[in-house]
Amino acid sequence: EIVLTQSPGTLSLSPGERATLSCRATQSVSGSYLAWYQQKPGQAPRLLIYGASSRATGIPDRFSGSGSGTDFTLTISRLEPEDFAVYYCQQYGSSPPWTFGQGTKVEIK
Amino acid sequence: QVQLQESGPGLVKPSQTLSLTCTVSGGSISSGGYYWSWIRQHPEKGLECIGYIYYSGSTYYNPSLKSRVTISVDTSKNQFSLKLSSVTAADTAVYYCARGRTYYAPWGQGTLVTVSS
C-alpha cells in the first residue's frame, strides 16, 4: 500500500500570497494518478486536481498541480479568502485500495 | 448536476450492522459508465476508501474491511447502499458516498455514524 505524506502540516499565509503544498509517496505513483481535494469545516472534500495536473470542472486556474513519480505539488498562486481550508492528496495509481495523505491545513496568518 | 445524499442511523450499537443508503439525483446511476463509492473519515485516521460498485453489481472492497462490508445497488431507486457488520468504536466516522472509482466527484455531504451502546 502506498503511503502519502503531506507537508507542511499547517501553512500560515495571508490572502494574496502563494501557497505550495507537498505530497510525497513511499513508492512511485504510476501514471501520475494523483488527485487533490479541498475540505472546509463541516463539508465534504471537493475534487480540485486529478491526473496530477488536470483541473476539475469549475476549479479556478489559480489552483495548479504538478509532479510525477513520488513527489507532487499543489500550488495556489494567490490565496483568496475562500481558499483557507484543509487539502488532501490521494493516489489511485496502483492496485486499490487507494490512499489519502493526512492533509495540510492552510490557515490565515 | 449530479448530487448524492447519504441517509441512515447516526447511532449504531457495538456488534450490530451499520446500514447507509446513498440516493443519487440529477442523473442515472446506471448511465455514464460511472462507479459509485463509499469513503469514510475518522477524526484520527483520516480518509479511507471502503469500496465501490458498478450499476451491474460488480464490487470492490478494501481488504481491511472486506470480511464485514457489503455494497449493493438498486437501479430502480437510483440508490446504492453500504452495510458494515460487527461494528466497534473504531468504525465511528463520517461516511461519504461519492461518484467514481479512482478519484471522486461529487461527494455527498456525509453522515456521522457513532458506534456506542
Side-chain angles (χ1 to χ4, degrees):
Chain A
E1 183 175 292
I2 295 178
V3 176
L4 300 178
T5 301
Q6 293 185 240
S7 61
T10 302
L11 199 51
S12 298
L13 295 168
S14 301
E17 290 194 293
R18 181 184 187 90
T20 303
L21 287 67
S22 174
C23 177
R24 179 162 290 177
T26 52
Q27 55 187 282
S28 182
V29 178
S30 61
S32 294
Y33 290 140
L34 188 110
W36 289 93
Y37 300 86
Q38 176 194 69
Q39 186 176 35
K40 296 180 181 178
Q43 296 185 16
R46 177 177 71 143
L47 178 69
L48 299 175
I49 301 286
Y50 62 93
S53 60
S54 297
R55 271 188 302 276
T57 302
I59 301 303
D61 61 7
R62 64 180 182 273
F63 291 93
S64 63
S66 62
S68 63
T70 60
D71 290 301
F72 298 87
T73 301
L74 174 70
T75 301
I76 311 171
S77 59
R78 288 179 56 87
L79 282 164
E80 297 288 340
E82 62 267 27
D83 298 337
F84 292 92
V86 179
Y87 293 83
Y88 295 96
C89 58
Q90 177 231 333
Q91 68 82 22
Y92 54 100
S94 61
S95 299
W98 318 129
T99 51
F100 291 84
Q102 83 282 13
T104 289
K105 181 179 182 180
V106 179
E107 65 176 21
I108 299 176
K109 186 174 181 179
Chain B
Q1 72 276 21
V2 171
Q3 293 183 309
L4 296 85
Q5 176 71 58
E6 305 87 352
S7 59
L11 181 64
V12 181
K13 289 182 167 50
S15 80
Q16 294 192 340
T17 296
L18 177 161
S19 295
L20 296 175
T21 295
C22 182
T23 301
V24 179
S25 59
S28 172
I29 202 169
S30 54
S31 68
Y34 292 107
Y35 287 74
W36 304 89
S37 291
W38 286 99
I39 301 147
R40 67 182 181 179
Q41 186 170 27
H42 298 93
E44 306 294 333
K45 292 177 59 179
L47 290 153
E48 180 180 31
C49 302
I50 298 171
Y52 56 75
I53 191 165
Y54 195 56
Y55 77 93
S56 62
S58 173
T59 55
Y60 165 84
Y61 302 138
N62 188 321
S64 68
L65 298 168
K66 188 173 184 177
S67 63
R68 300 193 291 130
V69 171
T70 302
I71 298 176
S72 58
V73 64
D74 186 336
T75 55
S76 67
K77 294 182 179 179
N78 227 32
Q79 295 175 334
F80 62 107
S81 298
L82 169 70
K83 291 189 185 301
L84 181 65
S85 64
S86 305
V87 298
T88 69
D91 295 309
T92 294
V94 176
Y95 286 75
Y96 295 100
C97 57
R99 185 179 68 178
R101 180 182 65 85
T102 50
Y103 55 85
Y104 308 106
W107 297 51
Q109 67 182 28
T111 187
L112 173 63
V113 178
T114 301
V115 178
S116 175
S117 55

